[in-house]
Amino acid sequence: MTTELTGGIDPSREYVFAQRPDNSEMRDSVSFWTVDDRGRFGLPRIGIEAVAANWANHEVQLNIAFPDGRVYRLRGAGPSLPPGGPDGKPTVLGAGGLAFRCIEPFGTWTMTYDGKAVQTSSSDLIAGRAAGPLVDVGVFVEATMAVPPWIQGALRHDAGDRIDNSVEGELMGGPRYEQLYRATGSVTIDGHTEHFTGSGLRIRRQGVRRLAQFWGHAWQSALFPSGKAFGYIAYPPRPDGRPTFNEGYLYRGDGELIPARAVRAPWLRRLREVGEDVSVVLETADGTVHIDGETVYSTHDIHHDDDTYSVREMKKENPNFPALQQAGVRYRWDGEETYGMLERSNPLSQIET
């Protein structure tokens, strides 16, 4: 059986906006979550948010995290890079020292960063302290897609209904898909370079994103050496019992994604650096699958007080925006082990101190 890595999506969906959208709320976004396959370090989200209202200066997020608690972090903005690639097509989304490039739609992407990052730690971020000295940082990732893209809302009718007819569609930020990849690259910190092989998750999103009603989520994904993979996004149960978005998939190494939903998810209840059980149980039409998970490095955004356009606008919509964790996880499934990603959030009022 062969694998169709486009998932039937028009390759032009991979292109970025060639010019500023007329709608000031419109966004273009690319982000990578990359893990070293030896667990030495990870890049738990490096991304760009290009907001039409602030088009000359796209926003940059960078995280580099280590199991010993070291974190190098950047939240800022930089002059937007021209979107045209070597062939003139809009294949580059970049700002300042960060650039994402589509080399081949649904085939190969690269990410490069050359600039500064704040040196901090997991424990300081949990305490709400994000300041620190600036350090020279360089990152290069070449991502080769390995799993069909997952379009949110496309695998389960109930999930698609939530995207189309409820607040969850606004939270997703418009048409969105994600795709797991194999990776090679390097990380340079203060002149010291480590080369790595690994895997990761790429996210493409274009649309209007409104976060005023955001109340938390759990999001996990990983690619195993054999080619197996999983992923899901779920929103916590509502107090009034109304349904929430809950969709995911299993992948057996070829063919199509198998629709799934999370029947047990590790909601964010405590703020911990590493070593937390974040196992998940996914249900498919053929039964349930238990995937063990333990955090191995972690970053947090507790108070969301970074001085960027998107954060300022977000706090206007939702002054008590949930605390956020972005982490790397050691996963085990049927005796096979890999490293993958975790993002989850919850209001501080629902988190143990």
Side-chain angles (χ1 to χ4, degrees):
M1 184 180 294
T2 59
T3 297
E4 173 53 67
L5 290 176
T6 71
I9 303 173
D10 188 325
S12 67
R13 284 275 303 276
E14 293 277 77
Y15 298 150
V16 304
F17 289 136
Q19 57 190 14
R20 178 188 180 275
D22 293 333
N23 184 342
S24 63
E25 293 186 275
M26 187 66 70
R27 294 179 179 224
D28 205 348
S29 179
V30 178
S31 58
F32 278 20
W33 296 69
T34 308
V35 294
D36 169 45
D37 60 13
R38 295 160 58 188
R40 296 171 298 166
F41 53 81
L43 313 173
R45 191 178 193 264
I46 298 180
I48 287 181
E49 295 288 330
V51 186
N54 195 41
W55 198 248
N57 290 280
H58 297 338
E59 296 186 15
V60 173
Q61 175 179 321
L62 178 138
N63 297 298
I64 307 172
F66 292 82
D68 64 6
R70 287 177 294 148
V71 173
Y72 298 86
R73 177 184 187 273
L74 180 67
R75 303 290 188 275
S80 308
L81 301 183
D87 60 0
K89 296 178 181 178
T91 56
V92 178
L93 188 64
L98 179 63
F100 294 92
R101 292 179 171 85
C102 175
I103 308 302
E104 177 189 355
F106 299 104
T108 304
W109 280 69
T110 63
M111 176 184 72
T112 57
Y113 178 73
D114 185 13
K116 301 286 187 180
V118 173
Q119 181 179 342
T120 181
S121 68
S122 298
S123 58
D124 277 353
L125 292 173
I126 286 173
R129 299 187 296 266
L134 288 173
V135 176
D136 290 323
V137 166
V139 176
F140 171 73
V141 175
E142 181 175 89
T144 302
M145 303 306 120
V147 174
W150 169 37
I151 305 169
Q152 280 70 67
L155 297 180
R156 293 177 54 90
H157 175 76
D158 56 348
D161 182 66
R162 302 306 301 168
I163 292 291
D164 294 336
N165 301 304
S166 73
V167 68
E168 283 94 330
E170 294 186 344
L171 300 179
M172 288 287 183
R176 180 190 187 280
Y177 56 85
E178 58 186 62
Q179 188 169 25
L180 287 157
Y181 56 78
R182 302 288 182 194
T184 60
S186 62
V187 172
T188 301
I189 297 175
D190 203 16
H192 176 72
T193 299
E194 292 281 356
H195 296 273
F196 72 91
T197 58
S199 58
L201 183 70
R202 176 178 67 95
I203 296 90
R204 278 292 286 132
R205 168 167 46 82
Q206 288 180 322
V208 175
R209 193 177 195 192
R210 297 190 176 102
L211 297 169
Q213 299 184 59
F214 186 61
W215 73 97
H217 75 306
W219 173 25
Q220 293 174 276
S221 186
L223 174 62
F224 288 78
S226 66
K228 293 193 310 182
F230 81 94
Y232 79 93
I233 297 173
Y235 292 87
R238 295 177 182 269
D240 60 10
R242 286 187 295 165
T244 63
F245 180 86
N246 183 337
E247 185 183 58
Y249 65 88
L250 298 178
Y251 182 66
R252 296 296 184 180
D254 61 14
E256 299 181 350
L257 304 181
I258 301 169
R261 65 186 300 272
V263 293
R264 195 180 84 192
W267 309 115
L268 182 61
R269 303 299 187 192
R270 304 185 302 168
L271 301 179
R272 298 292 184 267
E273 297 177 43
V274 295
E276 191 169 3
D277 183 354
V278 290
S279 301
V280 61
V281 178
L282 297 176
E283 180 184 66
T284 72
D286 295 326
T288 58
V289 170
H290 183 107
I291 300 170
D292 293 318
E294 180 183 15
T295 54
V296 293
Y297 47 79
S298 187
T299 72
H300 289 80
D301 288 85
I302 302 302
H303 301 300
H304 304 283
D305 52 5
D306 298 299
D307 187 19
T308 64
Y309 175 84
S310 288
V311 168
R312 291 192 298 270
E313 293 300 305
M314 178 186 75
K315 294 297 283 287
K316 290 178 184 177
E317 293 182 89
N318 190 343
N320 299 309
F321 195 82
L324 177 73
Q325 180 189 28
Q326 295 173 319
V329 177
R330 181 188 298 109
Y331 289 109
R332 294 184 180 90
W333 178 14
D334 287 344
E336 192 175 7
E337 183 174 296
T338 195
Y339 293 90
M341 60 79 66
L342 161 72
E343 183 181 87
R344 54 184 180 164
S345 62
N346 221 350
L348 279 173
S349 61
Q350 298 183 32
I351 297 176
E352 300 175 16
T353 56

